[in-house]
Each structure stands twice: as structure tokens, then as C-alpha cells.
Amino acid sequence: MGAGHIGLPTACVIADSGFQVVAADINEKLVDAVKKGRSIITENCLEDLVSKVVKAKKLTATTDVTSATKDSDVVLIIVPTPLGTAGPDLNAIKSAAKAVARGLRRGMLVVLESTIYPEGTKKILQPILEENSGLRAGEDFYLAYSPERALPTRSIEEIRTNVRIVGGINEISGKKAKEFYGKFVASEVLDVGDSTTAEFVKISENVYRDVNIALANELAMIAEKLGVDIQKVIDAANRHPRVKIHVPGAGVGGHCIPKDPYFFINKAQELGLNVRLIKTAREINESMPEHVVELAENALEKGGKTPADSKIAILGYAYKGDTSDIRGTPAERIVGELKALGFKVCIHDPFVNYSNGTAIEKDMEQVVSGSDCIVVVTDHSQYRNINISELAKKMRKPGIVIDGRNIFDPVSIRKAGLAYYGIGR
Ligand code: SAJ
């Protein structure tokens, strides 16, 4: 249930391992594309795999979740839990659960893969399934949690090869889930003993990343003031066998890392706890787009430019390199704030075609030509190979580079006659 960014690659991997799979989704466009052996989800190798398993008649698609459930032995719920005003929004899980419950039969296994609050499988999902089916979880049907942990751009490979975490609402449910995932996961399937622990694992992983990126960003702020290059510091510090400092940058985007900390923040509040570190990390990372705007604004002012006579070229709109995914991208805020300040902004991205009414160009030369300032927002591979001296020729004086992903060598940029500002360098 749910044939989106993770659901569809998962359906394909399972179908490719020999199971008969039906991808059920409320989005007709998505379902129609799958029926034709195509994908409207962009993910490496996905198009080919959808086509292969549909041709082999191993994967079909439907918008009728209840009948898809009736025809199945295992149901995986893989729907989004986007950040709403009061925290992560669980409505998709709840409505999927109702539709699944109406098709539930004895002996089936239901697994939730979407990120949810700790205790969510037992306290949110289980009652909906039981009330709408009249069956008892853990007795009449089995219920487990197994977080999807695949990195967008490498989803197919990671669904197949990452260690798979499972936890049941009772022992037999965990055992059934482990047995199922063991049929197509190439590495270990780790039963952590219960669904709440499995939920906790998933949120912890993304919080770990958020807090570590925030630390890198905070160190970068100190380095910037001291005139120290944070990348030199990180490269040297990471030679220590027990240190792994993350990469400071223009902001943390995507649909997981900026949202998942709120599962802990809200749950902790309910438990009477104040999780200061997790909240502060969010604040630091959320402030980074604004910092990038300030760097550009200050550098242009120093160069004697006003917003009215400045053109800014944004390189990259996606939330991370080499993807067209713009969910939660820091670029949206950077562009919005620069425009609000009165700057003329042009955007280049090799993969992204649109953004809320703003044209995104594919021709980098056109975007960069005549600009006073370049702001790198996304670390697309192609930007790392830019010919700096050619770039300098196309820009207007004074020529400023704001490197929001620390992908350039400051020395070569300055040698080319451009001013360089990175995050912490
Ligand atoms: N970023 C930094 N500095 C870093 C690393 C990343 O600023 O050192 C930024 C990136 O530019 C990007 C954002 O963070 O804007 C997130 O990118 P990401 O590649 O780190 O993570 P996601 O959101 O694409 O995928 C994460 C993954 N989680 C972990 O690595 C712990 C993935 O495995 C999960 O499946 C996914 O979240 C999810 O669905 O939860």
C-alpha cells in the first residue's frame, strides 16, 4: 500500500525476487504509469526495473487497496508522513490502515514501513486494523514494524542490501516479518524484539544525522569568524579513527531528516521530557538558508552592489546532489528571501524542471552570464567540474561565489579573480 518514492522501488525489488506483487495507491496517475510498465517516480534504475517486472507479469497496480489486500498474504504500508503544523501528519497511515483492514483475512502479515512515533504501530495502527476488520492483531493476523531506510538515489540497491530492521507487536509477528524480508533482502534481517524498538531505531538514525550536520554547521560558524577553513579542519579531524564530522552546508532538505526529529520532540513532550539537543540541532539547520542569503547580501554590498543592480545565479535547486527531488529543499527559502530583498535571481538545475512559478533553466551558461554572484545550493556532480576561469569570464565584476556546499577550492576561485565565501571558510 503506497507506490511512491519508497513503495514502488520496494514493490519492484520484491517482484523481481519472484513474488507476485500488486502496487496499490490512491494516486491514479502513478497506478496508470505502473500498469504501462513506467514510473513517474524518479529514482536510479527504477524505470528499467518497473518495465522488467511488469513485462514478466510479476507486478500489477491498482487504486483499490481493499481488494488488493484481499488478494494478498502480506501487506506493506509505505505511505508518507509529511510535516504538518502540529508535527508529522499521520492521516495517510490512518486512511491506508482503514482500507487495508476492510480486506484483512486470518493468517495475513501486515507491516508498517512509514516512519511513525515510537509506540505508533501498537497505539495508532493496531486499533484501526482491529476495529475495521474485527480481527485480533498478533493472533488472527500478524503485525510488525520495519522501517524503510533506503537513501533516495540509491533506493533499489539499499532496499536489497541494507540490514533490515524488524520488530513485531508480539514474538510471532516479529518472526513472520523476519521470515518474509529474509526472502528478498540480501543482508541480515535483524529482529529487534518489538515494534517500538524498531520505530525508535529509524528515528534515531535520522536524528543522529541531523544533530551531526548541526554540529558541523555550528563549527563552521566559528571557523568563519576566525578565518579558518572548516573543510581543512574536518578533513584533518576525520583522520582520527573515532571522529566523523559531517559536512556543513546551505541547509538540510528532503522529506525525512528535517521531519523525523519531531517524532521525538513531540513524543518527549508527551512524556514530560524536553529534548534540548534535538530541538537545537533543528534550529541550527533551519537557520542555514538564511545564513547563505546573508553571505550573498554582505558580499554584494562589499562589492558596491545594490539588490536592484545585482543578478544572482543559483546553482542547484534539488535538496541534494544528482537528484530531481525538491521536497524540503533549502533552495526554496534561499530563492524566496533573495527575491524578497529585491535581487534578480536566475536558477539552474540539470534535473529539476519547475518550482512554484519560477523557471529553472537547463543552460548553465545562460544563467551564469552577466551575473554578479553565484550561489551553489546543491552539490550536483557536474558543478564540481566547472571550469572556474571560463566561469569568471562570464560574470560581471566584482564576481562573487557563495559556495553553499563547499565543493570548490577557494584558492582556485580567488586565483580566477573571484571573491569566495563558503560555509565556514
Ligand atoms: N546534508 C548536509 N550535510 C551532510 C549530509 C547531508 O548538509 O553531511 C544535507 C543534504 O544536502 C540534504 C540533507 O542533508 O539536503 C539530507 O540528505 P541525506 O542524503 O543525508 O539524507 P536523505 O534525507 O536523502 O535520506 C535519509 C537517510 N538517512 C540516513 O542516512 C540516516 C536515508 O537512509 C533514509 O532512508 C531517509 O533519510 C529516510 O527515508 O528516512
Side-chain angles (χ1 to χ4, degrees), residues 104-415:
L104 265 186
R105 287 176 289 104
R106 279 175 193 279
M108 280 176 72
L109 167 67
V110 178
V111 185
L112 177 65
E113 290 204 10
S114 314
T115 312
I116 196 166
Y117 287 102
E119 300 184 312
T121 305
K122 282 184 191 161
K123 291 194 173 168
I124 300 166
L125 180 60
Q126 185 177 338
I128 300 176
L129 291 174
E130 288 183 337
E131 278 158 28
N132 291 278
S133 69
L135 298 173
R136 296 280 307 153
E139 292 169 25
D140 300 331
F141 69 97
Y142 309 105
L143 178 59
Y145 182 77
S146 177
E148 60 83 1
R149 295 152 77 231
L151 191 74
T153 68
R154 289 214 304 262
S155 292
I156 291 175
E157 182 197 338
E158 291 207 353
I159 288 165
R160 281 193 179 122
T161 60
N162 281 0
V163 169
R164 177 55 79 152
I165 305 296
V166 298
I169 58 146
N170 61 355
E171 203 182 327
I172 178 79
S173 293
K175 209 171 146 229
K176 291 278 180 189
K178 182 174 166 134
E179 194 186 326
F180 170 66
Y181 283 99
K183 306 254 188 223
F184 65 90
V185 169
S187 65
E188 186 188 356
V189 180
L190 182 65
D191 183 355
V192 293
D194 70 290
S195 54
T196 306
T197 306
E199 293 153 353
F200 207 108
V201 170
K202 163 72 188 199
I203 309 163
S204 304
E205 289 167 354
N206 282 345
V207 164
Y208 167 86
R209 214 147 158 80
D210 201 39
V211 168
N212 276 286
I213 298 169
L215 172 65
N217 284 333
E218 190 150 80
L219 296 178
M221 294 303 116
I222 307 171
E224 229 168 83
K225 290 277 183 214
L226 286 174
V228 166
D229 183 339
I230 194 68
Q231 280 313 132
K232 273 193 191 164
V233 172
I234 294 174
D235 292 347
N238 284 353
R239 304 279 289 273
H240 185 290
R242 286 176 296 283
V243 174
K244 177 78 188 78
I245 301 176
H246 284 48
V247 186
V252 176
H255 48 297
C256 304
I257 297 180
K259 173 198 69 184
D260 290 359
Y262 292 101
F263 284 110
F264 274 162
I265 293 170
N266 291 359
K267 189 71 185 179
Q269 199 179 1
E270 188 190 307
L271 298 169
L273 291 171
N274 180 20
V275 283
R276 287 165 296 167
L277 180 61
I278 301 174
K279 277 187 190 165
T280 306
R282 261 303 67 227
E283 272 170 33
I284 294 171
N285 291 338
E286 274 169 14
S287 73
M288 295 313 288
E290 207 178 307
H291 181 64
V292 170
V293 170
E294 275 166 20
L295 284 177
E297 211 186 344
N298 293 342
L300 282 159
E301 199 184 316
K302 214 168 136 191
K305 289 275 176 181
T306 62
D309 69 354
S310 305
K311 176 186 166 186
I312 298 182
I314 302 286
L315 296 193
Y317 201 85
Y319 87 87
K320 69 173 178 179
D322 300 333
T323 169
S324 62
D325 202 332
I326 60 167
R327 289 175 297 171
T329 179
E332 193 173 337
R333 263 182 61 205
I334 293 171
V335 169
E337 286 182 27
L338 287 172
K339 280 186 175 172
L341 288 167
F343 290 104
K344 180 176 187 316
V345 180
C346 297
I347 311 166
H348 171 266
D349 195 296
F351 305 104
V352 182
N353 299 318
Y354 72 93
S355 151
N356 296 340
T358 308
I360 298 182
E361 308 295 337
K362 291 271 178 289
D363 183 347
M364 186 156 76
E365 204 177 316
Q366 187 199 322
V367 171
V368 165
S369 291
S371 65
D372 303 278
C373 176
I374 286 174
V375 181
V376 178
V377 179
T378 312
D379 52 347
H380 289 311
S381 302
Q382 87 170 62
Y383 297 151
R384 293 180 190 273
N385 306 320
I386 287 176
N387 182 328
I388 305 293
S389 44
E390 285 303 311
L391 180 90
K393 281 185 212 157
K394 294 189 178 76
M395 293 180 72
R396 285 200 302 207
K397 296 278 169 264
I400 296 158
V401 174
I402 309 290
D403 184 0
R405 294 292 168 192
N406 292 356
I407 58 171
F408 294 134
D409 169 25
V411 178
S412 345
I413 300 272
R414 289 179 186 130
K415 252 193 204 151

Side-chain angles (χ1 to χ4, degrees), residues 61-115:
T62 180
T63 51
D64 187 345
V65 180
T66 303
S67 71
T69 304
K70 277 184 190 149
D71 291 342
S72 303
D73 300 299
V74 180
V75 176
L76 307 183
I77 301 176
I78 316 180
V79 294
T81 51
L83 195 56
T85 43
D89 177 349
L90 304 185
N91 281 323
I93 293 184
K94 290 176 184 169
S95 62
K98 277 184 201 153
V100 166
R102 289 193 285 269
L104 265 186
R105 287 176 289 104
R106 279 175 193 279
M108 280 176 72
L109 167 67
V110 178
V111 185
L112 177 65
E113 290 204 10
S114 314
T115 312

